[in-house]
Amino acid sequence: MELVIYFDGPISRFKAHTAMKRREQREQAWNNLYSFITDGVVYDNDEYPLPPLCFEQLLATLDECDVRMITVSGEADAEIATAANEAIALGRVAYCVSEDR
């Protein structure tokens, strides 16, 4: 089995609306954490922000495990689909998982 992680590249102007929406969601998550700390308001786990160094730790862990990482110039979806189709054409099994935040 070969694990390949694809990352989206820089945000294009076409994704500006989505980026703004995600930024608002992150701000709300930090507000939720603040409410929990100050007032004890409890939310679902996915309504809190990830720790600030979470992404850097992910990259370091993947690098340490020699996982292939590819950052594309824009959205990774098309390249992921192409890679999956190529693997299937070679008789391999391909799985695609996405997590946009």
Side-chain angles (χ1 to χ4, degrees), residues 10-75:
I11 297 170
S12 70
R13 62 185 173 95
F14 301 110
K15 293 285 288 185
H17 176 71
T18 302
M20 184 177 72
K21 198 166 140 183
R22 288 188 185 143
R23 187 172 34 252
E24 289 170 356
Q25 289 170 338
R26 281 192 300 272
E27 184 176 324
Q28 183 59 52
W30 282 104
N31 289 336
N32 292 349
L33 180 60
Y34 182 78
S35 294
F36 173 71
I37 292 169
T38 58
D39 302 323
V41 177
V42 178
Y43 298 89
D44 291 334
N45 282 340
D46 62 347
E47 295 184 71
Y48 295 113
L50 289 172
L53 296 176
C54 187
F55 187 69
E56 285 78 4
Q57 180 60 59
L58 171 67
L59 294 177
T61 301
L62 293 172
D63 187 51
E64 184 67 26
C65 294
D66 293 321
V67 173
R68 193 166 136 215
M69 294 178 275
I70 299 171
T71 301
V72 302
S73 60
E75 287 288 310

Side-chain angles (χ1 to χ4, degrees), residues 78-90:
E79 291 205 31
I80 293 169
T82 299
N85 282 333
E86 289 172 357
I88 291 167
L90 294 172

